[in-house]
Amino acid sequence: EVQVVESGGGSVQAGGSLRLSCTAFPFSFDDYDMGWYRQAPGDQCELVSYISSRSTSFYHWSVRGRFTISRDIAKNTAYLQMDRLKPEDTAVYHCAIKSAVPPPYSERLQTRDGSCVTGHLVSWGQGTLVTVVS
């Protein structure tokens, strides 16, 4: 079973920066993709970004140009650098691991009892809160 350890997040003023980290074990970027979903209060779970086993990346349209995902293969860790943060970025951010084979990440996850339904994901982090104040 792949486990994840998340770090980063916190509270920042609009325009500021934060960096999220996700370390997984046992894990290899040869076998898995790694990314983040976020869930704002009372809202759906949306895919923010991911980096694939082939090092391709995806960004939600609302964060493109402001967020950058990267990885350190030796450390089994991905990073999400979040710059020029906006109040609408406020959410709980969850690290999500997926097998490198299809199906792809869903751009949105259903919720049940307020929590994201993780479906085919291999591992799901408990989440880290990002608060952006104006």
Side-chain angles (χ1 to χ4, degrees), residues 82-98:
M82 305 184 294
D83 297 321
R84 303 200 308 278
L85 282 160
K86 303 176 180 180
E88 51 263 44
D89 294 318
T90 295
V92 176
Y93 286 69
H94 296 270
C95 178
I97 307 293
K98 186 189 74 63

Side-chain angles (χ1 to χ4, degrees), residues 19-31:
R19 189 176 81 157
L20 305 182
S21 300
C22 179
T23 300
F25 56 93
F27 179 88
S28 169
F29 277 109
D30 288 338
D31 301 321

Side-chain angles (χ1 to χ4, degrees), residues 76-117:
N76 293 346
T77 299
Y79 305 96
L80 186 66
Q81 178 66 40
M82 305 184 294
D83 297 321
R84 303 200 308 278
L85 282 160
K86 303 176 180 180
E88 51 263 44
D89 294 318
T90 295
V92 176
Y93 286 69
H94 296 270
C95 178
I97 307 293
K98 186 189 74 63
S99 173
V101 299
Y105 279 104
S106 299
E107 294 202 20
R108 288 189 178 275
L109 299 177
Q110 294 182 338
T111 59
R112 183 180 299 137
D113 297 329
S115 298
C116 306
V117 177

Side-chain angles (χ1 to χ4, degrees), residues 2 4 22 24 27-29 31-38 45-54 56-60 69 71 78 94-110 117-125:
V2 176
V4 299
C22 179
F27 179 88
S28 169
F29 277 109
D31 301 321
Y32 300 103
D33 303 335
M34 188 182 285
W36 276 270
Y37 283 88
R38 68 184 179 187
C45 308
E46 65 181 11
L47 180 63
V48 178
S49 179
Y50 71 81
I51 187 163
S52 76
S53 60
R54 297 169 296 156
T56 58
S57 57
F58 163 89
Y59 298 95
H60 189 274
I69 194 167
R71 67 183 188 178
H94 296 270
C95 178
I97 307 293
K98 186 189 74 63
S99 173
V101 299
Y105 279 104
S106 299
E107 294 202 20
R108 288 189 178 275
L109 299 177
Q110 294 182 338
V117 177
T118 58
H120 65 280
L121 295 172
V122 169
S123 189
W124 180 260

